[in-house]
Amino acid sequence: MSWFPERQTNRTWVHRMCERVLKSGPIPKHIAIIMDGNRRFAKKKSMDRAEGHLKGFDKLAETLEWCLNLGIREVTVYAFSIENFKRSKEEVDCLLELARQKFARLLEEKELIQKHEVCIHVLGNLSLLPRDLQELVADAVNLSKHNTRAVLNVCFAYTSRDEISTAIRELAEGVQMGMLKESDISEELLEKCLYTNKSADPDLLIRTSGEVRLSDFLLWQSSFSVLAFVKVLWPEFSIWHFYAAILHYQKNYDAIQSVKQSNRMNVDHQQRESDYQCVLKEVGKTLDHTNCQILVQQYAKDRQERVNKFLECIESKRDQFFDDVAKKRSMTSSS
Amino acid sequence: MFETVILRIVHYLLTVSTFLSSWFYRIPSLLYKKADLSARSDARDLQKLPLHLGLLVLEDEFSYKDIANLILWSAAMGISYISVYDVNGVLKRNSKLLYDIIVQQQKYEDAEKPKKEIHLRIVSEDREVSGYTHSTGTELYLLSIEDGRKNIVRTAQHICRQVAAREMRPSDICPNQIDAIIQDHFNCPDPDLVIKFGDVDAVLGFLPWQIRLSEILSLPSHWGLDYKSFKSTLYNYGFIQQRFGT
């Protein structure tokens, strides 16, 4: 099965009806999914593990269609954790092979990606992957990077702690090179150094198979996400489970929005406070009110410039990675 | 218009059904009046006990008496680290009040039994409310949103300071290194179990770095929570099988 439906599978009037009803309430903009239970599904149906994973992939394609139908524009999935490298060699090879096939397939179906205008991001420590897979991933990312209608983030060789420590490393390098001041580091800046810097935090996080933990997935980003722990195994996840998760999101919507908003305000307040303290430190203790305001505004402007420059630098470094992978390949293929 | 009405009805039905089912589960405990608080022997029935229990109070109103009970039950079961979280830090601000109520509730317990020392700490202010420094007691942490993402930011600043002072190289920065700094700050292991109280199904900023592997369970409210429901939640935890990565 391919990543995207070639043409819409027939929706019954019941589904259309449900969609219309759900759409009259708040719909999440971004959903994160931990697709858990492929192996248990395989065991249950006494199939091969590989087949279980394949079924799981088919389910992802189906779910993406449901999301697009409801108007959910961004989906982040946990495809392969860094911890998964600890599994048996046989299974790791099988998972990587599946990824190879699926990314190759994706490249074959260029027109479909362009038709659906889906932009694919692959988040994670890609240098841990075998060379050929890196190339496929780079091609898929480069191919789709100008699409804007929908975004699919595939977390591959990913853990959230690794993501956060990568971000901190970038910041430390920035400080070391003198691009950033230590006091520039804030929640907002750290967030922009994460792999998910282009996305808003997920509104809804779905985990299947009845497990009730995050397993090192989007720890930072899911602080204010509605959690939906669904009991079924991932290949058995149906459109009704999906609708139920959306309903669950709607029920939690108001409470979470208010906490989110007050946190936003708090973050802004702390930023202003930090700017003020920095100005005080620079100038010394004696400052009259109006003078101070101007200085703080100026400081904030300078800080923003520093930060933007630094972020541009990180951005181009990340793009460079994909270009390098592609370049090296053309070198080896021509030799 | 029509759709909105239907959606309202569906949401209403959902609320009613969750409400009913939460009462349904309470029936057994309503029939048997409060049993003897033999938490320590109960702990032996449990498959496993969390080392660090996180209690997330995601409700607007707080019942200090019920929170104190939760803490005392957990301590009596032998849980060594308990953290109580509310988003805005209301409990942190009222730590003295909470501590007094804990001491007061402790007096109602069986006088024969040796009492656990509860040692209350507020990490962000580096403040200790009670004077005990026993190593055998239960460590109680009061946490708020300040201890979550912001603590990661503080850790990042700390690391950058070290890098700037050439005490550390950027290439040394790895998850284990950061974890060591965070562990050192909190001085406790990651929570293995998190129990949420309230209707909101989210962790609302609770220790993002540390909840990596925490099991997240929910109870509808902490108000009037009885020992049985609490124990059955811990019992459920005992049945959860931990498989990570492998």
Side-chain angles (χ1 to χ4, degrees), chain A residues 213-261:
Chain A
R213 56 183 174 273
L214 299 174
S215 297
D216 221 335
F217 180 56
L218 302 180
L219 296 175
W220 175 288
Q221 297 89 333
S222 64
S223 279
F224 304 104
S225 306
V226 176
L227 305 175
F229 295 120
V230 187
K231 286 236 165 67
V232 290
L233 302 174
W234 173 245
E236 291 169 336
F237 186 73
S238 75
I239 196 161
W240 300 107
H241 296 116
F242 178 70
Y243 289 158
I246 303 291
L247 276 176
H248 184 65
Y249 167 76
Q250 295 180 335
K251 237 180 86 197
N252 282 283
Y253 181 78
D254 290 331
I256 294 210
Q257 286 311 309
S258 73
V259 178
K260 241 176 158 170
Q261 199 176 0

Side-chain angles (χ1 to χ4, degrees), chain B residues 28-223:
Chain B
S29 55
L30 291 177
L31 293 179
Y32 307 100
K33 263 294 162 205
K34 192 179 160 194
D36 166 45
L37 200 128
S38 49
R40 217 153 321 177
S41 61
D42 280 343
R44 264 178 250 133
D45 302 340
L46 297 171
Q47 297 256 340
K48 60 177 174 186
L49 205 61
L51 185 59
H52 179 179
L53 170 67
L55 301 170
L56 272 53
V57 186
L58 308 180
E59 290 163 279
D60 292 333
E61 304 283 329
F62 300 87
S63 157
Y64 286 84
K65 188 173 146 261
D66 288 309
I67 295 173
N69 278 334
L70 275 166
I71 293 165
L72 287 170
W73 294 333
S74 314
M77 284 190 161
I79 296 173
S80 320
Y81 301 91
I82 306 167
S83 46
V84 186
Y85 177 85
D86 72 283
V87 178
N88 298 317
V90 175
L91 292 172
K92 259 187 193 179
R93 281 196 293 282
N94 296 300
S95 55
K96 184 77 181 75
L97 175 63
L98 179 65
Y99 192 75
D100 291 343
I101 294 175
I102 291 174
V103 173
Q104 194 188 341
Q105 290 292 108
Q106 212 166 17
K107 286 203 188 106
Y108 296 132
E109 282 184 21
D110 196 342
E112 301 285 299
K113 284 181 187 157
K115 292 199 170 81
K116 280 264 177 184
E117 304 272 19
I118 308 273
H119 181 205
L120 196 154
R121 291 188 60 206
I122 298 174
V123 183
S124 60
E125 297 157 32
D126 204 13
R127 186 154 67 86
E128 287 171 13
V129 175
S130 72
Y132 301 119
T133 41
H134 281 265
S135 52
T136 51
T138 295
E139 299 285 330
L140 173 65
Y141 297 84
L142 298 184
L143 302 172
S144 74
I145 203 158
E146 294 289 313
D147 300 291
R149 285 181 178 183
K150 290 203 182 83
N151 185 54
I152 300 179
V153 171
R154 274 190 292 268
T155 308
Q157 287 172 340
H158 172 78
I159 289 174
C160 289
R161 248 193 312 266
Q162 285 194 314
V163 169
R166 299 183 182 282
E167 288 164 20
M168 197 197 263
R169 277 172 310 184
S171 56
D172 295 338
I173 300 168
C174 65
N176 288 341
Q177 172 87 29
I178 296 168
D179 196 41
I181 296 172
I182 289 179
Q183 290 258 355
D184 192 49
H185 178 68
F186 282 94
N187 212 357
C188 71
D190 293 343
D192 348 53
L193 172 63
V194 167
I195 304 178
K196 296 186 282 109
F197 298 95
D199 294 328
V200 190
D201 226 337
V203 290
L204 297 187
F206 177 70
L207 305 181
W209 179 270
Q210 290 95 323
I211 56 164
R212 178 172 77 120
L213 297 176
S214 312
E215 307 291 343
I216 303 165
L217 299 175
S218 310
L219 282 169
S221 172
H222 75 287
W223 281 84

Side-chain angles (χ1 to χ4, degrees), chain A residues 205-216:
Chain A
L205 189 144
I206 299 176
R207 175 163 197 166
T208 53
S209 89
E211 303 292 344
V212 288
R213 56 183 174 273
L214 299 174
S215 297
D216 221 335

Side-chain angles (χ1 to χ4, degrees), chain A residues 179-206:
Chain A
M179 294 183 79
L180 285 179
K181 289 183 179 188
E182 171 218 316
S183 59
D184 294 342
I185 296 167
S186 62
E187 234 179 285
E188 217 187 327
L189 178 57
L190 184 64
E191 210 159 48
K192 284 187 182 145
C193 297
L194 297 175
Y195 296 138
T196 50
N197 57 354
K198 294 196 188 86
S199 323
D201 287 347
D203 301 299
L204 171 66
L205 189 144
I206 299 176

